Amino acid sequence: MEVDSPIYRNLISHIDINRGINSIQYLNFRDINNELEFKEFLNDINSNNDAIELSLINNKAYKEAVIMSLNININETLIKMIGDEQKTFGGSKLFYLNDSFNKMLVVSVSRNMEGKLNMVINRLNKVNDKISRLNSRIKKENLEAFTKRQSLKDKKDIVVNMINKNLKV
């Protein structure tokens, strides 16, 4: 049975950081605009950021950075969720993503990286909590779709239902 629109939805990937020691970079620097390591983040740094954050960057206030590799499968919903949690109430961005969404940059003033990383990790946990709730809703909708289609006796429906019920992701 062929259908044009998806009957079952895929789950959304949680945000995870690659914990391998070689996948994390810690840098001390003078000017974020002149460091090659930061070039891939410049689009995110310069788009939808507030004047205070841009002023800190342009006035070379930031001196420390951490670049982390992400383990995620990107989709539009996840990008929006990350974007919503990326900013403070004032509009400053806590972290930056490269164009491929596979790396994250956190910059801070001297001796403040641990505090900033704690804030970023709390935000990522918040996104992952939202993803868990959304995935529960998706699983429920998939089960409802299977129940409605059960009379069709389509083998693909049975396979998808088995995956939805039994695969832990």
Side-chain angles (χ1 to χ4, degrees):
M1 166 172 269
E2 293 296 316
V3 223
D4 291 295
S5 64
I7 298 165
Y8 302 105
R9 291 176 49 200
N10 285 319
L11 299 180
I12 297 169
S13 172
H14 284 84
I15 300 170
D16 194 15
I17 296 171
N18 187 335
R19 290 161 176 85
I21 198 75
N22 293 327
S23 67
I24 297 173
Q25 292 178 282
Y26 177 85
L27 307 158
N28 285 306
F29 62 93
R30 293 178 197 260
D31 183 357
I32 198 168
N33 293 307
N34 294 332
E35 298 289 332
L36 287 176
E37 289 89 350
F38 304 139
K39 294 293 182 207
E40 63 186 308
F41 299 98
L42 289 179
N43 284 340
D44 195 27
I45 289 170
N46 293 313
S47 66
N48 299 320
N49 213 346
D50 76 336
I52 295 170
E53 180 73 4
L54 290 173
S55 176
L56 289 168
I57 291 167
N58 292 330
N59 291 322
K60 302 173 186 151
Y62 290 130
K63 300 295 180 194
E64 294 180 280
V66 171
I67 299 174
M68 300 174 281
S69 297
L70 300 175
N71 291 328
I72 54 176
N73 293 321
I74 287 296
N75 67 31
E76 291 301 316
T77 304
L78 185 55
I79 291 171
K80 177 163 180 9
M81 291 171 103
I82 292 171
D84 290 345
E85 294 300 327
Q86 189 177 17
K87 290 186 171 190
T88 65
F89 292 116
S92 298
K93 290 185 178 180
L94 289 173
F95 58 88
Y96 302 100
L97 299 168
N98 66 351
D99 293 335
S100 303
F101 299 101
N102 63 355
K103 289 184 185 175
M104 176 184 289
L105 169 67
V106 179
V107 291
S108 76
V109 296
S110 293
R111 297 180 302 281
N112 194 34
M113 182 54 74
E114 285 184 36
K116 189 105 177 234
L117 277 174
N118 267 331
M119 287 191 293
V120 169
I121 290 168
N122 286 334
R123 294 291 177 99
L124 296 179
N125 284 334
K126 192 174 175 182
V127 171
N128 281 339
D129 288 343
K130 288 179 184 178
I131 291 169
S132 293
R133 289 190 299 275
L134 185 57
N135 282 343
S136 292
R137 194 167 42 245
I138 290 170
K139 285 180 183 179
K140 182 181 176 207
E141 290 169 2
N142 284 347
L143 181 59
E144 289 170 359
F146 173 74
T147 303
K148 287 178 186 172
R149 293 176 51 84
Q150 209 168 8
S151 64
L152 299 175
K153 306 273 191 239
D154 187 348
K155 295 292 184 184
K156 288 191 234 176
D157 281 323
I158 294 168
V159 171
V160 170
N161 186 54
M162 286 179 63
I163 293 167
N164 282 333
K165 284 173 50 178
N166 300 313
L167 182 63
K168 297 184 191 281
V169 288

